[in-house]
Amino acid sequence: MVQNERSNFGSKLGVVLASAGSAVGLGNIWRFPFETGNHGGAAFILIYLACVLVLGIPIMMAEFYIGRRARANTAGAYRKLAPGTPWCWVGRMGVLAGFLILSYYSVVAGWPLEYLVEAATGGFAGKEADQFIDSFNAFASQPLRPVIWLLLFLIATHLVIVRGVEKGIERSAKVMMPVLFILLVVLAVCAVSLPGASAGIEFLLKPDFSKVDGSVLLGAMGQAFFSLSLGLGCLCTYASYFRSDTSLPRTAFNVAAIDTLVAILAGFIIFPAAFAVGIQPDAGPSLLFITLPNVFQQAFGSTPLLAIALSLMFYVLLAVAALTSTISMHEVVTAYLHEEFKMSRRKAAVWVTLGCTILGICCSLSLGVGSSYTLCGMTLFDIFDFVTAKIMLPLGGFLIALFIGWYVDRRQVEEEISNHGTLKVHIVRLLLFVLRYVAPVAIGIIFINELGLIHL
Ligand code: TRP
């Protein structure tokens, strides 16, 4: 394919790392553990893994196809591939979902910065599990501090976005991802060897299928989409910068494997530690932040300097992992405004950052001063999470599957997935079968079941 003047990722490793950088983030380290905790443990994880395999990988390949074939932002891509049809609304819904997720995600992305300061000033020393819970609640419900961190975080995202694709996105992913991975392994080993950790390991490994209901299925599916950055055209936008010799199936498998490994590792840090110190696994969004300081305390309490060094490293890396994800969401919306409305990239980025700042502040305040404003028992923060992860992303995935499975000509899919015949790919048939039948039916059943129209 002729490469137009849009920029491209510089190397093959860069492609995998940048996509993995988008996928690996708070979704794995913060959201996966708390959703697992809310939904009863091992059975949820098994269903999650099935969702990654059956829905995640095929839909990721579909997004890669759309992006690289069209070489445009997500809404523009549908217009190029299906001119004059309503398919571009799938892209537009994705842009909206990206904007909404970025808003509340940045709130959580700011929290590690507070913990970074806390760790650097020795604030963890001598605290018990209960005190960590109290201090988290006191922090998150304050009006000002979380908002300052949120702002700082959005500004950092903004700066990377205006520096452009290769310099900004690719470089930050290349260095940080491997370091994060090693640190997670170290922390998992520490957590698993805490006294009393075995109950947590059992929670992760012994499925209790009697607890599986519709909300577990929807939760696992939503988490798979969220964690793999699917359903809103994020990886489609990244694929528009892929080189024409990048193998789409291999990249999809690698990204899904890295992402899943990081999530499971995070589980092996959080649950053994939570059970060891008596924190409830269903503590919700605070779970990571109230559990982790205990690991540093308990495992390294006797060598305070090591505890401080490791906790500093962890919070820096968590913030960077979040940053490589926020960049990818910001890029979806910025590329859309830039290409569809002919705004300069810089101006588009400013609008996105400003909009997210306003919505992000509302989400942050909804955890404290605004917590009495609820809808169906959910705060604004919860509503953003629910509507995006559990409705918009799976719906986006459903439509993407239909688009590739039924609308696009299969020869074109074969051509693009095999890089115009230079790669031998045997899976196109299977891929199309899954996208035609399996994915739409599975997502449809989970949705209908959740609406209460049928009961599994
Ligand atoms: N996958 C990221 C994480 O796990 C978050 C994310 C980035 C995302 N881009 C996305 C989620 C697009 C959904 C869609 O933290």
Side-chain angles (χ1 to χ4, degrees):
M1 175 183 280
V2 183
Q3 308 224 334
N4 56 22
E5 73 285 8
R6 302 175 92 244
S7 46
N8 280 306
F9 286 120
S11 66
K12 281 190 190 163
L13 184 66
V15 163
V16 177
L17 284 182
S19 311
S22 163
V24 174
L26 297 172
N28 311 58
I29 301 169
W30 162 75
R31 199 173 186 283
F32 175 76
F34 93 70
E35 282 284 290
T36 304
N38 281 350
H39 291 119
F44 173 88
I45 297 182
L46 286 179
I47 299 169
Y48 170 76
L49 292 177
C51 288
V52 169
L53 206 64
V54 178
L55 304 175
I57 295 175
I59 291 177
M60 193 183 297
M61 279 194 240
E63 282 207 22
F64 283 168
Y65 166 83
I66 297 170
R68 194 175 65 177
R69 188 87 185 166
R71 295 225 180 260
N73 71 85
T74 153
Y78 286 98
R79 250 191 312 99
K80 272 194 187 169
L81 299 181
T85 64
W87 283 108
C88 61
W89 284 98
V90 181
R92 292 190 186 132
M93 180 182 80
V95 173
L96 177 66
F99 183 65
L100 296 178
I101 297 182
L102 181 58
S103 303
Y104 82 90
Y105 193 96
S106 305
V107 174
V108 184
W111 296 345
L113 303 177
E114 168 81 11
Y115 276 71
L116 192 64
V117 173
E118 187 87 348
T121 52
F124 291 156
K127 276 192 185 164
E128 300 280 324
D130 283 349
Q131 291 166 300
F132 286 125
I133 298 178
D134 292 342
S135 51
F136 174 83
N137 290 335
F139 159 69
S141 56
Q142 269 184 40
L144 204 58
R145 279 180 84 94
V147 168
I148 294 174
W149 295 128
L150 155 76
L151 272 178
L152 248 163
F153 202 85
L154 277 169
I155 292 171
T157 307
H158 182 89
L159 292 179
V160 180
I161 287 291
V162 292
R163 285 188 69 197
V165 173
E166 193 187 334
K167 279 196 206 111
I169 301 177
E170 195 175 336
R171 263 194 219 154
S172 37
K174 249 185 199 162
V175 188
M176 297 296 183
M177 294 279 301
V179 186
L180 174 69
F181 191 76
I182 295 168
L183 190 66
L184 287 176
V185 174
V186 172
L187 290 177
V189 171
C190 294
V192 167
S193 44
L194 288 178
S198 56
I201 300 174
E202 195 166 299
F203 183 78
L204 281 169
L205 296 180
K206 256 203 185 151
D208 175 2
F209 285 104
S210 67
K211 293 207 187 104
V212 176
D213 59 9
S215 85
V216 173
L217 294 176
L218 185 68
M221 175 169 77
Q223 176 59 24
F225 279 98
F226 189 94
S227 189
L228 295 171
S229 301
L230 291 180
L232 60 73
C234 187
L235 294 182
C236 162
T237 303
Y238 268 24
S240 74
Y241 308 117
F242 281 5
R243 293 156 33 139
S244 41
D245 60 353
T246 300
S247 162
L248 301 185
R250 186 168 306 157
T251 308
F253 277 108
N254 287 341
V255 171
I258 296 173
D259 188 74
T260 306
L261 208 58
V262 172
I264 301 286
L265 264 178
F268 273 94
I269 300 173
I270 301 299
F271 292 107
F275 278 84
V277 296
I279 287 172
Q280 292 302 320
D282 59 356
S286 64
L287 185 65
L288 169 72
F289 293 91
I290 58 180
T291 307
L292 212 84
N294 289 294
V295 181
F296 298 123
Q297 271 305 306
Q298 304 249 335
F300 306 102
S302 52
T303 43
L305 267 183
L306 187 61
I308 292 182
L310 280 180
S311 44
L312 285 181
M313 248 170 94
F314 178 81
Y315 291 114
V316 169
L317 289 170
L318 184 62
V320 174
L323 186 64
T324 51
S325 301
T326 51
I327 292 166
S328 72
M329 284 179 261
H330 201 299
E331 178 63 26
V332 172
V333 194
T334 302
Y336 170 73
L337 294 180
H338 169 55
E339 289 174 9
E340 298 292 298
F341 296 93
K342 307 282 169 266
M343 275 185 204
S344 71
R345 242 188 99 84
R346 191 171 284 270
K347 196 163 160 206
V350 169
W351 280 112
V352 179
T353 305
L354 264 181
C356 285
T357 305
I358 295 169
L359 284 185
I361 290 176
C362 298
C363 286
S364 181
L365 293 181
S366 81
L367 297 174
V369 286
S371 59
S372 51
Y373 299 100
T374 58
L375 190 73
C376 306
M378 292 191 282
T379 61
L380 188 68
F381 181 95
D382 299 331
I383 294 172
F384 270 42
D385 184 71
F386 183 86
V387 170
T388 52
K390 294 189 179 164
I391 299 176
M392 294 174 95
L393 298 183
L395 183 61
F398 178 80
L399 295 170
I400 289 169
L402 291 185
F403 181 65
I404 303 294
W406 295 95
Y407 182 83
V408 173
D409 179 21
R410 71 175 296 150
R411 267 166 313 186
Q412 290 188 5
V413 179
E414 262 162 29
E415 194 179 279
E416 191 69 36
I417 300 274
S418 69
N419 293 353
H420 298 259
T422 52
L423 292 179
K424 284 223 168 6
V425 277
H426 309 287
I427 47 159
V428 175
R429 235 178 214 204
L430 180 64
L431 174 70
L432 285 172
F433 177 76
V434 171
L435 293 175
R436 267 190 171 199
Y437 305 105
V438 181
V441 170
I443 299 172
I445 289 179
I446 294 177
F447 266 149
I448 295 171
N449 174 58
E450 183 63 15
L451 289 174
L453 300 180
I454 54 161
H455 284 288
L456 291 178

